[in-house]
Amino acid sequence: MLSTANTTSFKTILFKSIMTIHSVIEVLDQLAPSSYQEGYDNTGLLTGDGKWTCTGALCTLDTTEEVIMEAVTHGCNLIICHHPIIFRGLKKITGKDYVEKVVIAAIKNDVAIYAIHTNLDNILSGVNGRMADKLGLVNRRVLLNKQNNLMKLVTFVPKDAVEKVRAAMFAGGGGKIGNYSECSFNIQGTGTFKPEEGSDPFVGQIGKRHEEEEMKIETIFPAYLHKSIVTKMIEAHPYEEVAYDVIALSNYFKEVGSGLIGEPEKPLSENDFLALLKETFQLKVIRHTALLNKPIKKVAVCGGTGSFLTKDAIAAGADIFITADVKYHEFFDCNSKIVIADIGHFESEQYTTDLLFDVLKAKFPTFALLKTKVKTNPVQYYY
């Protein structure tokens, strides 16, 4: 739905300062870095140029020709969507199917399309977080954590500069572990080096080996912040040549991964919870497995196609698993241990448009921003 704040002519509220498309999508990249996407995915800028001045943005779940024309009508040259319209390689663009038609329409009308898909699925405050908001779930955590998204930075610092360098590492995004920040490990030791001709040593003399009492500082950081944290550390470090190690970790990242599990504020009967689910997501139908006649105390959710998480939902002790696109035989995977509720792909992700709008509106309150009025759900119901 289009908010009342968006009924004003967009030409009258454009910008107090020039903003590029890159400036807009940079906010979304910080929210859900592209490194969090699944390997099969295709997020990021799909058409257009990040250097273009942005005349307005339209948030949507899907990009269709109708959505392209809606953007054009309202003077928006950026569409921010959840599902990438270009998912596989295009060898020809002749308009033979809906994907090629959308790409042609976007290019002809100078409309940039930016997709934020499984990377938005894989953060706690993303698609599943918005589903949990709607259901009032508390005590949330990721259902299946991802690996290989953490790194460790190690450096060696003279005693007088330890606090400055450590603070820079934290400022660059290091030291966050769950609900704790500024986490590091520090150990004192002795470093040796011999300044060669042409060097400008902070301590020591050219041609002589020098020993310096140093502190070894280690801190963990999300891999996508690699460049940022190293740059800030080097800028704060007093040495001309900074010794440091960046180590890839296979640890699970507690804040990143597939699905979400949480708890309703109070237990509900299965029928009451299904009624709440139907009302909250405006559902015409819920496909579900047999009820188990026990209260709903833990709820697992996964927007979009999520049946691959059924075993994880059971292992986590969920009483019901809400997702979409469950195949006939996959319903048997409940093993009479959990209720599987398929609410539909579009229906499970419908509030993603609001999520994108809210994130950008908080960052750019005077920016020309729209939520699509086009109902892009391709699935219709006869009842």
Side-chain angles (χ1 to χ4, degrees):
M1 294 294 293
L2 180 63
S3 71
T4 55
N6 290 326
T7 58
T8 308
S9 170
F10 279 85
K11 292 182 179 180
T12 64
I13 59 170
L14 281 178
F15 311 114
K16 294 182 178 179
S17 60
I18 296 298
M19 190 184 315
T20 64
I21 285 173
H22 177 75
S23 300
V24 179
I25 64 180
E26 189 175 42
V27 174
L28 298 173
D29 285 341
Q30 292 171 356
L31 171 71
S34 60
S35 60
Y36 292 170
Q37 73 175 336
E38 299 298 330
Y40 59 79
D41 205 2
N42 187 38
T43 63
L45 194 61
L46 305 181
T47 67
D49 189 334
K51 296 189 292 292
W52 289 350
T53 296
C54 190
T55 60
L58 176 69
C59 300
T60 182
L61 191 65
D62 306 287
T63 306
T64 64
E65 285 185 275
E66 191 177 356
V67 171
I68 295 283
M69 298 320 299
E70 181 184 25
V72 172
T73 299
H74 291 287
C76 300
N77 68 341
L78 172 62
I79 290 175
I80 300 165
C81 58
H82 185 49
H83 296 134
I85 186 63
I86 303 174
F87 207 75
R88 299 175 181 84
L90 296 177
K91 294 184 178 180
K92 298 178 181 179
I93 306 177
T94 60
K96 71 177 183 297
D97 57 29
Y98 80 99
V99 172
E100 293 183 9
K101 288 176 182 176
V102 169
V103 172
I104 290 171
I107 293 172
K108 285 178 65 176
N109 290 282
D110 288 334
V111 173
I113 301 175
Y114 175 84
I116 180 168
H117 190 210
T118 53
N119 46 332
L120 190 63
D121 292 329
N122 284 335
I123 61 170
L124 268 174
S125 59
V127 175
N128 300 315
R130 186 51 63 105
M131 291 177 70
D133 289 344
K134 292 294 181 179
L135 293 169
L137 303 184
V138 297
N139 300 326
R140 306 174 190 178
R141 61 180 175 83
V142 171
L143 187 57
L144 178 62
N145 297 105
K146 288 181 73 68
Q147 291 179 282
N148 305 314
N149 278 275
L150 290 170
M151 305 185 93
K152 181 186 288 186
L153 175 61
V154 182
T155 190
F156 310 87
V157 187
K159 290 191 300 182
D160 292 344
V162 167
E163 184 52 43
K164 181 180 179 182
V165 174
R166 191 163 46 209
M169 293 164 75
F170 296 152
K176 183 78 166 61
I177 303 177
N179 293 325
Y180 294 84
S181 61
E182 300 191 5
C183 302
S184 69
F185 183 76
N186 306 265
I187 187 168
Q188 190 169 323
T190 302
T192 68
F193 52 86
K194 183 171 74 173
E196 302 289 352
E197 290 293 334
S199 64
D200 183 17
F202 176 71
V203 290
Q205 297 179 15
I206 292 176
K208 294 184 177 181
R209 187 172 65 198
H210 178 79
E211 293 187 357
E212 182 72 20
E213 287 190 33
E214 295 176 335
M215 188 72 75
K216 178 183 179 182
I217 307 174
E218 303 181 8
T219 193
I220 199 168
F221 66 94
Y224 77 94
L225 292 175
H226 183 174
K227 183 178 180 180
S228 167
I229 190 172
V230 170
T231 298
K232 289 184 181 295
M233 180 273 294
I234 290 175
E235 288 174 349
H237 205 293
Y239 285 175
E240 181 181 25
E241 295 290 345
V242 179
Y244 66 93
D245 302 321
V246 177
I247 304 167
L249 304 176
S250 60
N251 303 44
Y252 287 102
F253 195 172
K254 291 177 65 176
E255 298 177 12
V256 178
S258 303
L260 176 153
I261 186 165
E263 302 167 8
E265 291 189 355
K266 62 179 182 179
L268 296 172
S269 70
E270 292 166 323
N271 283 314
D272 286 346
F273 187 86
L274 288 173
L276 172 66
L277 184 61
K278 185 175 182 180
E279 179 183 4
T280 301
F281 287 84
Q282 306 166 52
L283 306 175
K284 294 180 173 66
V285 64
I286 300 175
R287 300 167 64 230
H288 65 84
T289 54
L291 302 185
L292 303 176
N293 298 313
K294 63 179 185 178
I296 301 296
K297 296 180 180 180
K298 283 189 177 182
V299 179
V301 302
C302 180
T305 306
S307 57
F308 68 99
L309 290 170
T310 298
K311 291 181 180 179
D312 298 286
I314 293 171
D319 301 300
I320 188 168
F321 178 33
I322 304 161
T323 188
D325 301 338
V326 181
K327 297 178 181 178
Y328 176 84
H329 291 285
E330 292 171 339
F331 279 107
F332 287 107
D333 292 336
C334 71
N335 288 319
S336 300
K337 296 178 180 179
I338 194 171
V339 176
I340 299 174
D342 184 331
I343 65 173
H345 198 120
F346 176 89
E347 289 80 4
S348 69
E349 296 180 334
Q350 62 185 293
Y351 297 116
T352 304
T353 299
D354 295 330
L355 169 63
L356 296 171
F357 180 89
D358 292 345
V359 167
L360 291 174
K361 202 64 179 176
K363 183 68 175 180
F364 307 114
T366 61
F367 178 54
L369 191 63
L370 273 172
K371 288 185 282 186
T372 186
K373 294 180 69 176
V374 178
K375 190 69 175 289
T376 61
N377 189 0
V379 180
Q380 305 296 310
Y381 299 93
Y382 181 80
Y383 63 101

